[in-house]
Amino acid sequence: MSTVATSPPPSPGRPDQQQLDTAADAVSHLAGSYQDVFTGLTVDVPDGRVIVYRKPGGGGFDAALAHLGLGVPVDLRDAPRSISELTATRNRVTALIGHTSDYSIASVGDGSEVSFTRGVVEVGVSGNLASAQADLRGRFGDRVTVSIAQPLYG
C-alpha cells in the first residue's frame, strides 16, 4: 500500500463526505483513460480517504493520480486485474445466465472490495453449489468466486 501525495485538505481535520465524493468522482473520471490499469475505488468515510485499487506499475496512472491535487488522502492498493479484465469476465459469466443445467446464476458482480483485492467476479448461484463451482472454475479459473446467492429481502 502506498499513499499518493496530495494537497492538504481545504479545512483542518478529516475530509467530509462531499470532499471525498468529489475526489472519488475525479479519480473515476481519470480512470476512464486507464481501464487496463485501474480496478476500482472505495470511499472510506470514517478514515477520511479514498482507496484506489489498480494494477501496479501501469502506464502512468499513479503519476496522473498524484497530479489531480484531490485535497484528500488517497491510498493506492495493488490489484491483480484491471476493471477491463473484470468486466470481460463478468460479461462472459452473465452470458451463461439461463444456460446452466443443475444450478442458476442469480447474481454477478465485480464492484466490491473483494473483487478489487482478489481480482475476481463474484457469482451467486442457486441450486447445486458444488456443480456450479466446478463448472465456473473450470471455465474461468481463479477469475471467479462462487457462492450461494443470498435471498433478497424487501
Side-chain angles (χ1 to χ4, degrees), residues 8-154:
S11 59
R14 203 171 276 162
D16 65 21
Q17 181 75 49
Q18 183 177 356
Q19 291 170 301
L20 292 169
D21 289 345
T22 299
D25 288 345
V27 172
S28 293
H29 181 73
L30 175 68
S33 298
Y34 293 91
Q35 295 294 299
D36 292 332
V37 177
F38 176 79
T39 303
L41 65 83
T42 58
V43 175
D44 181 354
V45 176
D47 288 334
R49 64 188 175 155
V50 175
I51 302 169
V52 177
Y53 300 87
R54 81 324 183 207
K55 291 174 73 171
F61 176 75
D62 292 1
L65 182 62
H67 285 96
L68 286 179
L70 297 173
V72 302
V74 176
D75 288 342
L76 292 176
R77 301 213 177 147
D78 293 350
R81 294 187 178 89
S82 69
I83 193 65
S84 63
E85 292 168 298
L86 290 174
T87 299
T89 301
R90 185 193 67 224
N91 291 344
R92 288 181 57 211
V93 172
T94 300
L96 295 174
I97 293 175
H99 301 286
T100 56
S101 57
D102 55 350
Y103 68 92
S104 296
I105 297 173
S107 63
V108 182
D110 62 2
S112 74
E113 189 172 350
V114 169
S115 290
F116 302 155
T117 59
R118 293 181 48 207
V120 296
V121 171
E122 298 172 89
V123 183
V125 300
S126 60
N128 187 328
L129 176 61
S131 177
Q133 289 173 326
D135 180 38
L136 294 172
R137 287 185 184 146
R139 293 174 192 249
F140 303 106
D142 68 351
R143 295 179 311 229
V144 297
T145 183
V146 183
S147 61
I148 292 293
Q150 298 301 313
L152 299 176
Y153 296 100

